[in-house]
Amino acid sequence: MRSFSDGTKANVLKYVVYTGANNETMLEAISEVNGIAFDGNETLQIELANNKHYTILFWAQNENASYYTLDTANKTITVDYSGAACNDENRDAFYGVLSHTVTGATTLGVELKRPFAQVNIGSSDFETAANAGLVPSTSKLVVKGVCNTLNLLSGEATGSVEATFDAANV
């Protein structure tokens, strides 16, 4: 398995700022920046109080990706696999966590990573299949026991659902 797509379908960045010893205090509701063109050099300015520790959760996705639910209280993202199709790059998403004690103006970087992987299915008999008149043009995948919730702080994945990725062009 490997990560998929070039990430250009993710064009909305959501972030939540927490403080407190166990990140229990959320400073405000989800903030959202639209129209992001992720090229590795995006800049976001957040003003925070000096001498306080903060944890900021970042989540980036496509603006039309209604299958993700960000739960700010539990600091998780949950995926709804209903209606999923194979090869749907609009499902590409990224997340990151930045933990920092503010001691003055500074510039920090955070790397956003893909929480998902791509399953590649290969075959060494395409020529044999084509000679027999079988030329596959679509793919469908059913995965049983797949996790559907990710804790954005710890990176722990939980849940166990059956996900069907409907047929789509290969």
Side-chain angles (χ1 to χ4, degrees):
M1 294 198 283
R2 64 178 174 82
S3 60
F4 62 97
S5 131
D6 60 6
T8 59
K9 299 292 184 186
N11 57 6
V12 173
L13 175 67
K14 299 178 182 189
Y15 65 94
V16 184
V17 180
Y18 298 90
T19 190
N22 296 309
N23 303 308
E24 68 275 3
T25 305
M26 182 174 54
L27 295 185
E28 59 182 72
I30 300 170
S31 296
E32 193 170 294
V33 181
N34 293 301
I36 295 288
F38 289 99
D39 63 1
N41 296 306
E42 295 302 321
T43 301
L44 178 66
Q45 185 172 352
I46 303 173
E47 294 185 28
L48 301 170
N50 260 341
N51 302 315
K52 290 191 85 169
H53 184 80
Y54 298 94
T55 298
I56 306 170
L57 298 181
F58 297 93
W59 177 261
Q61 68 179 52
N62 182 273
E63 63 189 333
N64 299 315
S66 60
Y67 21 77
Y68 300 121
T69 302
L70 180 59
D71 180 343
T72 57
N74 293 309
K75 301 160 191 78
T76 59
I77 194 82
T78 300
V79 182
D80 177 4
Y81 289 105
S82 61
C86 286
N87 307 315
D88 181 1
E89 292 191 16
N90 285 330
R91 285 187 169 265
D92 202 2
F94 303 85
Y95 81 104
V97 179
L98 179 66
S99 188
H100 179 69
T101 300
V102 176
T103 58
T106 188
T107 300
L108 302 170
V110 61
E111 181 180 358
L112 301 185
K113 299 178 182 180
R114 289 179 168 98
F116 310 115
Q118 173 180 337
V119 177
N120 294 308
I121 301 171
S123 175
S124 62
D125 63 354
F126 278 117
E127 187 176 329
T128 303
N131 290 338
L134 175 63
V135 180
S137 60
T138 62
S139 63
K140 179 177 179 175
L141 178 67
V142 177
V143 182
K144 297 181 180 182
V146 68
C147 296
N148 66 330
T149 301
L150 175 68
N151 182 304
L152 297 172
L153 279 181
S154 70
E156 179 184 359
T158 58
S160 181
V161 299
E162 181 174 300
T164 299
F165 294 86
D166 292 329
N169 292 335
V170 294

